[in-house]
Amino acid sequence: MDAVVDGAAGGLAGGPVGGPASVLAYSGPPPWRWSDLATSWTVEPLVLALSVLLAVWYLAAVRRVGRVAGARAAGERAAAGDGGDRGGGAPRVGGGGPGAGSGGGRWQPTRTAAFLGGLLLWIWCTCSGLGVYDRILFTDRAVQVVLLLMVVPLLLALGAPVSLLVESAPAARRERLLRALRSRPSKVLMFPAVSTALLMAPPWLLYFTPWYEWSVSSGLGNTVLHLALVLLGLAYFWPRLQIDPVGHEYPHLVGLFITFAEVIFDAGLGIVLIYGGHLVAEHHYLALGRPWGPSLAQDQTWGGNAFWVLGDLVGLPFLAALVRRMVVQGREEIEAVDAELDARFAAAAERARAAGQPEEEETGMRPWWLDDPNLRHRYGRG
């Protein structure tokens, strides 16, 4: 792919189809077809190796958490109500905290499916036909950027890998991990403005700095891009979802407002790519001598539209995950408050019985509007 004839570039400025010289210069894959997304494959060694290692670690950690939970449950049954700690996890550090994905001992299968799905999508983005043509077609690269920056990290974050790491670690290492999560650098990184910049800034930097041309003209640059986008996306979705422990916790409504800002930024970048009049990495694409497919300008127009539309569409699963997280967290908080109030009432009743006094009515549990003088008549109590 990198072996090109510079003399072929001159005949390609008006479109992809050149004369005999340009045909001889081209040494890339054949014309792109939809079937190539499933039938054409390449190898991205670093992504493939890292994905396999992460999958092995994750499954081993899930198994270890399951064994610990089983042993703990057996000990509790043997103790028969000795009041031991049923959670057994480390203290919560914002967000979901350790044990948030374990469902009280058993790691949630949906977490495992999301994490492994993210790894498989990462491999597909870089090793399938999308990876074969990512240095040939601007549109192909634009689709890949959206998936690597927004979809793969979202799936990995939904797998709660940090909670799994903390929960499966020995006690001493667990405390060190929790201290790191409470550290000042962690809190700064997870501040909403910082984490949002990690998602919004990279596409602009990619397309309007030499980073893009390096990524399409160099094998090393291509690999770095495949890794950097996923890491930047993880740095964004980790504090936004707040499933894993976070150093800086903030209301989910803030996340909704940030999402609307992202839609504006995606649209802005798409408009600039489509109507800006500047061809990104023009020298590289001319030097390829590609004798098939769209012209350089048409390819960038399609790529700008793909980035704009896909960037907005892939935000919908995140919004769904965020809203679901808000509902689940609200339900957990309500249940915790109810349990605390029940415990206080039970303790007060026990003290009253011990003192030989009548038990007080559970007035604190009554809805406030039943006792409000301005509203109780509506409920037949006036």
Side-chain angles (χ1 to χ4, degrees), residues 26 208 264 310 342 370:
Y26 181 70
F208 298 106
I264 297 174
L310 286 178
D342 290 341
L370 294 181

Side-chain angles (χ1 to χ4, degrees), residues 8-351:
L12 291 173
V17 181
S22 64
V23 174
L24 292 176
Y26 181 70
S27 60
W32 185 90
R33 298 172 300 177
W34 283 102
S35 59
D36 289 318
L37 295 177
T39 59
S40 297
W41 294 91
T42 184
V43 176
E44 179 67 272
L46 190 55
V47 170
L48 191 59
L50 187 58
S51 298
V52 171
L53 290 176
L54 287 173
V56 170
W57 165 78
Y58 194 94
L59 293 174
V62 169
R63 186 177 180 184
R64 186 159 54 249
V65 168
R67 286 201 308 265
V68 171
R72 184 186 307 139
E76 289 173 351
R77 287 194 298 269
D82 61 352
D85 180 17
R86 295 185 61 86
R92 177 172 172 165
V93 187
S102 58
R106 185 176 62 88
W107 192 257
Q108 293 181 13
T110 54
R111 296 277 187 255
T112 303
F115 189 84
L116 296 181
L119 294 178
L120 289 175
L121 182 60
W122 194 8
I123 293 173
W124 182 82
C125 285
T126 56
C127 298
S128 71
L130 203 62
V132 172
Y133 290 88
D134 62 358
R135 298 165 65 186
I136 304 298
L137 292 170
F138 185 93
T139 303
D140 192 275
R141 174 68 91 187
V143 172
Q144 188 185 64
V145 166
V146 173
L147 294 178
L148 291 179
L149 184 62
M150 300 186 68
V151 182
V152 172
L154 173 60
L155 291 173
L156 295 178
L158 287 173
V162 179
S163 292
L164 182 61
L165 176 64
V166 173
E167 193 164 342
S168 62
R173 189 186 307 166
R174 183 182 305 170
E175 288 301 321
R176 289 197 296 270
L177 290 171
L178 291 174
R179 282 197 299 270
L181 292 171
R182 298 187 193 103
S183 65
R184 185 174 182 81
S186 176
K187 293 180 179 180
V188 171
L189 180 64
M190 295 184 185
F191 188 74
V194 176
S195 61
T196 301
L198 293 176
L199 187 82
M200 291 185 178
W204 290 86
L205 294 175
L206 174 66
Y207 288 111
F208 298 106
T209 68
W211 184 14
Y212 185 89
E213 187 152 4
W214 180 52
S215 74
V216 294
S217 60
S218 165
L220 175 61
N222 195 40
T223 300
V224 168
L225 181 69
H226 293 162
L227 297 176
L229 292 177
V230 174
L231 291 176
L232 290 170
L234 271 174
Y236 169 77
F237 285 110
W238 176 4
R240 284 289 304 277
L241 288 172
Q242 300 186 41
I243 295 175
D244 276 323
V246 294
H248 186 93
E249 189 172 359
Y250 56 94
H252 289 295
L253 286 177
V254 174
L256 292 178
F257 287 116
I258 293 175
T259 301
F260 292 123
E262 292 163 11
V263 171
I264 297 174
F265 269 77
D266 290 342
L269 179 56
I271 291 172
V272 171
L273 291 175
I274 297 169
Y275 301 108
H278 169 69
L279 292 178
V280 178
E282 180 180 10
H283 175 75
H284 166 77
Y285 288 118
L286 286 174
L288 284 177
R290 173 171 54 82
W292 50 265
S295 67
L296 301 186
Q298 186 64 55
D299 188 23
Q300 182 164 317
T301 298
W302 291 354
N305 280 284
F307 185 91
W308 184 354
V309 175
L310 286 178
D312 290 343
L313 288 179
V314 298
L316 295 179
F318 170 71
L319 280 177
L322 187 61
V323 171
R324 181 182 181 276
R325 180 62 186 162
M326 292 173 62
V327 172
V328 171
Q329 185 173 355
R331 187 183 303 122
E332 291 174 350
E333 291 175 353
I334 291 173
E335 292 174 353
V337 171
D338 288 343
E340 183 179 355
L341 292 176
D342 290 341
R344 290 182 180 179
F345 180 76
E350 181 64 27
R351 288 194 299 270

